[in-house]
Amino acid sequence: MTVDEIGERLGAHVAAGELLGLAWLVAIGDDVTTGAIGHLDATRATPIRTDTIFRISSMTKPLTAAAASILIDDGVLDPADPVDRLLPELANPRVLAKPTAEVTDTVAANRPITVDDVLTFRLGWGMDFADFSPKPFDAAWSALGLGWGPPTPARMLPPDTWLRRLGTLPLQYQPGERWLYHVGASILGVLVARAAGKPLSEFLAERILRPLGMTDTGFSVPPGALARFGTHYADIDGARTVFDPVDGQWSTPPAFEGGGDGLVSTLADYHRFARMLREGGELDGIRVLSEHAVTTMTTNHLTAEQLARGGPGPGDSAGWGYGVGVQLRDQPDGPRAGAYGWAGGLGSTWSNDGAVTAILLTNETWSSAGPSPVFATFEQILGETARRRDPL
C-alpha cells in the first residue's frame, strides 16, 4: 500500500468534515512512513504536521504500565504483593454487597488488592463496559471530585488527596473478580511515584522518555513547543466545540499526573516506545525493559469467565495485558491475533501487529458512540499492511 493510498483513504474523512485533522504513521520493521492531513484548529490557518503534539489520553496507560514493569524488573515491586505497603489508603477495603447497592451496603474484601490487580485492572474499581447504567456508587464518586470521563488534568486533586478520598469508597467488585476500565491506571501512576520515591513524570523521564529520545512526551507542553500544539475539539449536540484550547489544561504541569490519560506526545516519540516493545524491550542498544517484562505486558491475563462478563474488546475478542489490549482472534480486515496496543478517547490509537506498527493521532474527541469512522479505516489499513507486509 502506497503513501498516497493511505493519505487518500484517511484524507477522505477530513474532507467529509468528520474531523479537522490527523497525523499517521505506518512502519514495517525499519521502513517508516508518516503523513499529516488537515489543520490544527477550526480557523484552518495552520496545517497539522508530522511533528504536531497531540493529547494522547489513554495511550498514556501503556507507558505507565511500562514504568511499573521497570520497577518489577528492578525488584522494587512484586506483582503478587498487596499494595498496602505503598498505598495504605487502600488497606482493608470494603466491597459493595452488589454493584447496584448503596455505598453503605458493603461486605469485607476477600483479600487485599495486589500490584497485579492494579496492573490488570482487576482491583475492583472502574468503568464497567458491559453496564453503563447509573448507580449510587457513581454519584458518590462524583461527589468526592475524583474525576470521571474525559481527562481534565487541571481540575484533578493532588494525588495524595485523591487517593485518600478514593480509599473512603467501597470497591465495586471483589479484588481479582472483574476487569473494569481506567481507575487502575490512575492508581498505578501514584503507586509508581511512591515506589520510585519521585513524581511519575520524573521516573518516566529518567527510565523511558530520555533513554528512548522521546523529547516531546510529557504531562504538559512547554511554552516553546506550543506552536506545534493545537486546540482540541469535541462534538456537543452535533456542533464542533472547543474541548481544550492551546493555552488550556495541558499548557502547565498538573498537580495530578494522570497515569491513565495525562500525556501528550508525537508520532515520532510514540513510535520510539512502540519499537522498543516490538524489539523485546531494547532500542538502539539501550535496554528499557527485560524481554520477560515485555512478554508479560503484551500477554492476556484475563480468564474466559472475566472476558465473558466484559473485557476491553467486543465480546471476548480482546484481552488485557499490563496497560495494553491484546487481540485474541483475527479480525476481518483488521488486527490479527497477537496484536497489541491501545487507543485514547481524545482521538488516538496505536498498535503493534507483528512487524507492523501503526499510530493515528487526531484533534477530535470520540463521541459517546465510540470512535469516529476514520479509526475503522485505519484498522483496515493496518490489517491489510500486516497481512501483505509490502514495503511502503
Side-chain angles (χ1 to χ4, degrees):
M1 186 179 301
T2 68
V3 176
D4 288 344
E5 286 173 332
I6 295 175
E8 181 179 352
R9 289 170 68 175
L10 297 178
H13 294 275
V14 178
E18 177 187 319
L19 69 167
L20 286 168
L22 57 86
W24 60 269
L25 177 149
V26 176
I28 304 175
D30 294 331
D31 186 0
V32 183
T33 303
T34 63
I37 303 165
H39 298 86
L40 277 178
D41 59 44
T43 67
R44 291 178 168 82
T46 306
I48 283 181
R49 307 186 321 193
T50 54
D51 66 348
T52 292
I53 301 170
F54 291 87
R55 303 157 184 82
I56 62 170
S57 54
S58 286
M59 280 172 58
T60 302
K61 290 175 171 66
L63 282 147
T64 305
S69 297
I70 289 170
L71 291 170
I72 293 171
D73 277 343
D74 290 350
V76 176
L77 291 176
D78 185 324
D81 282 349
V83 298
D84 301 5
R85 176 174 63 88
L86 292 166
L87 308 179
E89 297 93 336
L90 306 187
N92 304 311
R94 303 288 297 179
V95 185
L96 290 175
K98 58 182 179 180
T100 57
E102 296 293 335
V103 293
T104 53
D105 184 6
T106 65
V107 298
N110 293 334
R111 61 169 176 78
I113 299 167
T114 67
V115 173
D116 185 76
D117 291 332
V118 176
L119 278 161
T120 59
F121 289 10
R122 294 182 291 189
L123 70 158
W125 274 313
M127 298 180 226
D128 185 348
F129 280 7
D131 182 7
F132 287 102
S133 61
K135 300 174 182 64
F137 178 87
D138 303 332
W141 182 282
S142 297
L144 289 171
L146 297 174
W148 201 265
T152 53
R155 301 172 196 162
M156 289 291 290
L157 298 164
D160 290 350
T161 303
W162 182 85
L163 197 68
R164 186 168 60 252
R165 292 190 185 183
L166 176 64
T168 67
L169 287 176
L171 302 177
Q172 295 155 272
Y173 290 89
Q174 289 285 346
E177 182 181 357
R178 285 286 308 276
W179 183 88
L180 299 169
Y181 187 57
H182 181 67
V183 175
S186 299
I187 294 171
L188 188 64
V190 181
L191 179 64
V192 167
R194 291 191 181 178
K198 61 190 66 177
L200 176 61
S201 57
E202 289 186 19
F203 187 75
L204 283 173
E206 289 176 8
R207 300 298 296 270
I208 298 177
L209 305 182
R210 284 202 291 269
L212 293 179
M214 298 172 65
T215 57
D216 287 320
T217 301
F219 288 103
S220 61
V221 181
L226 286 174
R228 292 189 288 122
F229 188 57
T231 300
H232 198 88
Y233 294 87
D235 185 305
I236 299 178
D237 297 328
R240 178 173 286 134
T241 305
V242 172
F243 170 77
D244 187 64
V246 174
D247 59 353
Q249 297 192 69
W250 279 266
S251 64
T252 55
F256 187 96
E257 297 175 340
D261 56 14
L263 290 174
V264 298
S265 193
T266 61
L267 289 176
D269 273 18
Y270 214 89
H271 182 225
R272 297 282 294 175
F273 175 71
R275 278 185 60 200
M276 178 273 294
L277 292 177
R278 200 182 68 204
E279 296 180 19
E282 183 176 350
L283 185 64
D284 297 338
I286 299 172
R287 179 155 294 282
V288 175
L289 288 167
S290 67
E291 290 188 17
H292 175 75
V294 173
T295 299
T296 303
M297 273 190 66
T298 59
T299 299
N300 172 49
H301 293 262
L302 306 185
T303 67
E305 180 184 358
Q306 288 167 343
L307 290 169
R309 295 183 67 183
D316 59 356
S317 63
W320 192 252
Y322 282 179
V324 298
V326 181
Q327 199 67 41
L328 300 179
R329 296 194 305 272
D330 288 354
Q331 296 298 298
D333 301 320
R336 300 171 299 174
Y340 61 87
W342 199 235
L346 293 189
S348 60
T349 190
W350 149 70
S351 64
N352 281 353
D353 188 343
V356 178
T357 292
I359 304 167
L360 176 64
L361 306 176
T362 81
N363 54 10
E364 301 266 352
T365 297
W366 291 0
S367 72
S368 58
S372 53
V374 69
F375 288 88
T377 298
F378 195 62
E379 278 204 351
Q380 291 170 1
I381 291 170
L382 169 61
E384 292 166 17
T385 304
R387 285 167 175 80
R388 296 175 184 174
R389 296 187 60 173
D390 293 330
L392 296 174

